[in-house]
Each structure stands twice: as C-alpha cells, then as structure tokens.
Amino acid sequence: MSLARRQFLATSAALGAAAAAPSLFANTRAPSRYPDDAWQVIDERFQKYVLFNTPLERQWTGGLWLEGPAWNAVGRYAVFSDIPRALQMRWDEASGEVSILRHKVGHSNGNAFDGQGRLVACEHSPARVVRYEWDGSLNVLAESYDGKPLNAPNDLICLESGGIIFTDPGYGAHVEYEGAVRELELDTTVYYWEDGMAEPQPLTTELFKPNGIALGPDKRSVYIADTAPSHYPDEPATITRFTLGDDGKSLTDPTRLVESHEEGYDGLACDQDGNIWAGTSGGEGHDGVTIFSPDGTLIGRILLPEVCANVCFVGEDRNRLLMTASQSIYTLYTNTRGA
C-alpha cells in the first residue's frame, strides 16, 4: 500500500470517528444575553440567589408528563417519572444523557432516596408506596388503610429517623392516562409510615388535594401543596407549613403561607435559607417555578415555556435546580443550595 493511500485511509478514519463521537459542546442553540430571561426578581430578597451568567438549559424532551425528580449524590444522577408511560427515567449529570431506569412501575410519581440510599417511590396503579432494596427486590411499604386501598400516593419525604411522610390525593384514580379510574374509598390524606407498621398512620385530612411535599432545612418544617382547584374550583391553591411533632410521627401547627386563584403549586423544594421553590402552572408569566420566602412572601420566579410539575436541587454542591416540566426537564444553576 502506498504512503499516500495509507495517509488517506488514516485521515478518513479519524474524521469518521470525530463525526461519530458526541461533543460536550455540541449544543448549537442560539446564545441568549445574560442574565437569562428565565429569572424574574419580584422582591429584592431574591436577587442574592440569581446568577448573572448562567443559562436555562433544556436537558431533554420527549416525555408525556414528567414528575418526581430525586437526586442520588453517590451516583450523580437524578431519577424522575414519566407517569403516563409508567417509566422511571434517569438523568446522568456528568454526560447529560437520559435513559430508562425502570419500566412498568405502576405509573410511578414522586420519588425520594432514603438515608440508606434506597429509592422510595409513590405509585398510582396499583396505589402504593414501594422501596427498591439493595438486592434489587421490590418491597411494598404501604398499599391500604383500614382495609381499603390507598387513593394514589403522589409525593413523599424521607425523614432522618427512617420514617416516611407521603401524600395521597388520588390523581392516579381519576383518569386512565395516569393510572386506573376508580372511586376513592378513603379521604385525601397525608400519612406517616415506618418499618414495622402494618399500615400507614393518618396525619391530616384537612387538605383537599395534598400534593407536593418538602422538608425545611430545620428538619421540623413540613411544607405541603394543595392543588384543590383541580376538583374544588372555588378553593384556592395553597402551600401550608406544618411542624413535625417531637415524636417525629405527627404534624402540628398548620399555617397557610400561600394561596392563589391565579396559579397552582405542585412539587416543592426548600433551599438552605428556608425559601420554598414551587413547581407552578397558570399560563404565560406563571408557568415555571415560584419562589417564596419562609414567611410565604412571593420573591421571585423562574419562567419556563412549559408547565412545571416538580423541582429538586441536584449536583455536587446541590446548587443546580432540576425542573420536570410537562414534556421536558430543565436545569438552572442558582446561588443557593438545597436543604
């Protein structure tokens, strides 16, 4: 083989490999001017959390209705749910790739990792809370109360004690798209569960549609969103703060911090300063994430082109907000950290 031919083949192979290999900088979207238009400062207290030189990034799209992001710090990935497709998805922080983690997961909704790193998930159909054990087995933690099936567990928090608090509004029982249609046999309830319990313990039934839930940085403040207007149009959407009882198994001192007839609040996350970051729907100028101070004052927004269902802080420093928004997931670096 002549030298010229060998050089041609080598060059062609190198060019082919370069074309086939993904580039870390392959995003060719048109640049936007900083600060990104997604930031909306309403109260000067929010300005400290805004990063001037960070873009809103659409990491992936192709879902039907995305919910339940949960961060795994050891694996550097986030789990989220595509509820209609009954899929648990996995977003890898290092590569940015999204893949299917599990399929046929009972229209899984909210997810959380417990203190031992096990994934706990709320499922719509069958209506239950499950835990994935280290040996790969599935452990059903709660599926009924007082001999009746749960409505459709929605979201949850894992406590340092090992206990779990989850909401049960029943959305997975209203349409086949997200579960299986049936009549609810229980009040819409917030429950407590821990290992050894035969059935979960009701904590409160005062919310119409208890939905997203988050734990504050003090580990005592529990925030719960009520998406009441979906079935009670005269009622406002609200966010209520409860105090975790001294026994770690009760909720006391309910205080309504936020209410609105213009927008709805779904999934919640708290930052290290106790601010509440709420997935929000309500149309242009509302869709995205709404940020409230610890006293419930509206201080800022992150505006998205899609309805945002849920949020969580991810990354090594927990300073990157991941948003599950309708068909897509977005990220945005912030100048704070998740609680």
Side-chain angles (χ1 to χ4, degrees):
M1 184 184 296
S2 68
L3 178 60
R5 177 171 172 76
R6 286 199 300 270
Q7 288 175 331
F8 171 77
L9 291 175
T11 302
S12 298
L15 290 173
S23 170
L24 290 175
F25 305 101
N27 190 342
T28 58
R29 66 178 177 84
S32 59
R33 184 179 297 276
Y34 286 149
D36 197 290
D37 290 339
W39 296 107
Q40 185 180 49
V41 177
I42 297 173
D43 184 292
E44 62 180 11
R45 284 175 287 181
F46 187 57
Q47 188 65 56
K48 64 181 288 188
Y49 304 112
V50 175
L51 290 176
F52 170 80
N53 57 340
T54 184
L56 176 70
E57 296 179 278
R58 191 188 204 186
Q59 295 290 337
W60 178 81
T61 192
L64 292 181
W65 180 253
L66 305 179
E67 281 260 29
W71 173 245
N72 185 297
V74 175
R76 291 183 62 191
Y77 65 87
V79 173
F80 62 97
S81 300
D82 189 343
I83 299 176
R85 290 193 174 113
L87 297 174
Q88 282 179 350
M89 308 294 290
R90 180 183 185 275
W91 171 71
D92 183 88
E93 182 199 22
S95 67
E97 293 181 356
V98 169
S99 58
I100 295 174
L101 179 65
R102 294 184 180 91
H103 71 295
K104 298 181 180 179
V105 289
H107 298 277
S108 178
N109 190 335
N111 301 287
F113 288 94
D114 69 11
Q116 298 184 47
R118 298 171 297 185
L119 181 63
V120 186
C122 294
E123 294 188 346
H124 284 176
S125 181
R128 59 189 187 176
V129 179
V130 301
R131 185 173 67 205
Y132 294 90
E133 307 294 346
W134 283 112
D135 62 2
S137 62
L138 180 70
N139 188 2
V140 178
L141 306 184
E143 58 185 345
S144 64
Y145 172 71
D146 196 25
K148 300 173 183 178
L150 296 175
N151 297 327
N154 189 283
D155 202 2
L156 74 160
I157 54 173
C158 295
L159 306 175
E160 290 180 343
S161 65
I164 294 167
I165 298 177
F166 67 92
T167 61
D168 191 28
Y171 285 110
H174 297 319
V175 291
E176 299 287 350
Y177 188 59
E178 295 188 5
V181 174
R182 59 183 175 85
E183 292 295 323
L184 303 185
E185 299 181 48
L186 294 168
D187 291 334
T188 53
T189 304
V190 180
Y191 291 98
Y192 173 86
W193 180 92
E194 64 182 24
D195 278 317
M197 295 180 69
E199 62 180 19
Q201 169 187 317
L203 298 183
T204 180
T205 58
E206 67 183 83
L207 303 178
F208 291 93
K209 284 290 185 180
N211 201 317
I213 184 170
L215 187 64
D218 61 0
K219 308 302 181 185
R220 294 291 303 276
S221 298
V222 177
Y223 300 90
I224 303 176
D226 186 353
T227 46
S230 68
H231 287 74
Y232 303 88
D234 293 333
E235 295 294 328
T238 64
I239 299 175
T240 299
R241 181 184 63 220
F242 296 84
T243 299
L244 188 64
D246 292 337
D247 61 359
K249 304 177 183 181
S250 58
L251 294 179
T252 63
D253 305 323
T255 302
R256 182 177 289 187
L257 298 179
V258 176
E259 64 175 58
S260 176
H261 287 280
E262 280 70 51
E263 58 188 22
Y265 313 111
D266 195 336
L268 307 174
C270 287
D271 66 24
Q272 61 187 359
D273 294 330
N275 299 302
I276 307 157
W277 301 61
T280 303
S281 60
E284 188 174 357
H286 296 267
D287 291 342
V289 181
T290 308
I291 300 88
F292 300 96
S293 68
D295 64 7
T297 302
L298 172 62
I299 60 174
R301 296 184 185 275
I302 296 169
L303 298 177
L304 299 179
E306 303 179 65
V307 169
C308 182
N310 216 323
V311 298
C312 76
F313 285 94
V314 303
E316 183 177 1
D317 296 320
R318 297 288 305 282
N319 64 338
R320 192 177 189 184
L321 191 69
L322 185 146
M323 298 157 274
T324 50
S326 300
Q327 302 172 70
S328 311
I329 59 172
Y330 296 83
T331 60
L332 181 69
Y333 283 98
T334 71
N335 194 32
T336 187
R337 298 187 181 202

